[in-house]
Amino acid sequence: MTQSLIAINADFDSGNISVVDASDPQHIKLAIRPDTNSQHFQWFHFKVDGMQVGQPHSFSLTNAGQSSYNRAWTGYNAAASYDQKTWFRVPSTFDGKALNFDLTPTEPHIWFAYFEPYSRERHQWLIDQALNNAGAVLLATGKSIEGRDIPLLRKGDGAEGKRKIWVIAQQHPGEHMAEWFMEGIIERLQQNDTELAGLLEKADLYLVPHMNPDGSFRGHLRTNALGKDLNRTWQDATPELSPEVFFVKAQMEKYGVDMFLDVHGDEEIPYVFTAACEGNPGYTDKQKELEADFRTRLSGLTKDFQTRYGYPRSTPGNANMNLACNSVGERYKCLALTLEMPFKDNDDAPNPLTGWSGERSKQLAKDVLTTLAQMVPVLR
Ligand code: GEM
Ligand code: ZN
């Protein structure tokens, strides 16, 4: 048997895999690494070199069954790309222990990932786009544990009386669809249509395109560099352990909040949906009304949003106040939503080639801006 020339590499931005045994191209055994200082794992991203074009290759993520959301592998197909630009799905199966997928490659190398990655390099490009082409300003820059910038951008002049709409993304670093969503917002800000102009007359957009740069760079699923789940620190964030949230909370106190959207991805549910703060002790009828209005409007705009599937609703007074949506909803008594996009696909409008993708995340963001343009007169 010829010596396998298979080389597996994950030593790059958001890379995550370890090699168990790559000696046989038809039984390439890999394992996902846990987040640093945490037990969480599910995100993977690696490059394969040395494949024989036209020959079958088989990959197995041998520890998938122990991952954070191990029920989510059923119905999931791995994302792949020959050029890091065009991503497609590779039919995958979960046998209760491992996630398995086969490929007969058309090129000698390929990248695989849990979802279409959003790189740190593209993040820098996106910030430049926002500042140089979309008319946003840099209000402040926070710092992650490892010292990476966390820009807070504002589109709008901050004039008295304008509504303050906040959108933050990727508290959970493996949920790369979140920054694709932010790219959709910033892209539409450059298209400057009349509907958007109407929104921007009445509201300023406060945007944090990436909340957890260390986690993403490290190939984490869920936590920052110290193993903290940022979406569990909104009552007790500290500069030492969760400076990312500490920074954003301080900026919210400085500028105020009239609407809040926390953008995430969900491993298991093959739909786009929102969760809200109905379990808050101070939950108001107005918040309830605004949540229903948002969901009705957005589901009327696109098949890529629905209200039938989602997380179980929290019972009154039993919300976990450490979550951003609940904490901000309680503090500012505003419409506060967690928006979830699928790692799999939207089963109401499936695309077998791509599954859910960066492009669909971007389009959803543009539809959310339309919804906000319609709702801005009633946010308060
Ligand atoms: C979720 S938000 C969980 C919201 N749950 C309910 N029932 N409202 C999290 O942080 O666990 C967001 C995510 O991880 O994508
Ligand atoms: Zn999340």
Side-chain angles (χ1 to χ4, degrees), residues 42 47 92 94 101 112 224 323:
Q42 192 118 358
K47 188 189 180 192
S92 308
F94 179 57
F101 45 94
F112 288 110
N224 73 357
L323 272 68

Side-chain angles (χ1 to χ4, degrees), residues 69 170-175 177-178 221-222 229 231-232 262-267 311 338-340 343:
Y69 302 96
Q170 219 159 335
Q171 287 196 82
H172 293 136
E175 297 166 11
M177 57 287 280
L221 171 74
R222 190 98 182 151
D229 177 342
N231 205 27
R232 298 298 185 274
D262 180 22
V263 186
H264 286 256
D266 182 85
E267 292 77 5
Y311 296 140
T338 303
L339 176 68
E340 296 286 349
F343 277 96

Side-chain angles (χ1 to χ4, degrees), residues 342-358:
F343 277 96
K344 296 177 187 176
D345 197 349
N346 164 19
D347 282 2
D348 280 341
N351 181 330
L353 176 65
T354 63
W356 191 256
S357 67

Side-chain angles (χ1 to χ4, degrees), residues 5-79:
L5 298 173
I6 294 292
I8 305 285
N9 178 17
D11 185 14
F12 47 74
D13 172 10
S14 80
N16 182 328
I17 209 69
S18 51
V19 178
V20 175
D21 179 355
S23 58
D24 176 357
Q26 298 198 32
H27 298 90
I28 299 168
K29 295 183 174 60
L30 306 169
I32 304 172
R33 276 188 290 102
D35 292 10
T36 316
N37 301 311
S38 164
Q39 304 297 313
H40 280 295
F41 71 86
Q42 192 118 358
W43 171 264
F44 62 88
H45 181 195
F46 58 95
K47 188 189 180 192
V48 188
D49 281 295
M51 294 189 292
Q52 297 287 317
V53 171
Q55 295 301 311
H57 292 67
S58 294
F59 299 86
S60 181
L61 304 188
T62 56
N63 63 344
Q66 297 139 48
S67 71
S68 299
Y69 302 96
N70 54 14
R71 293 183 314 185
W73 296 115
T74 305
Y76 167 78
N77 295 307

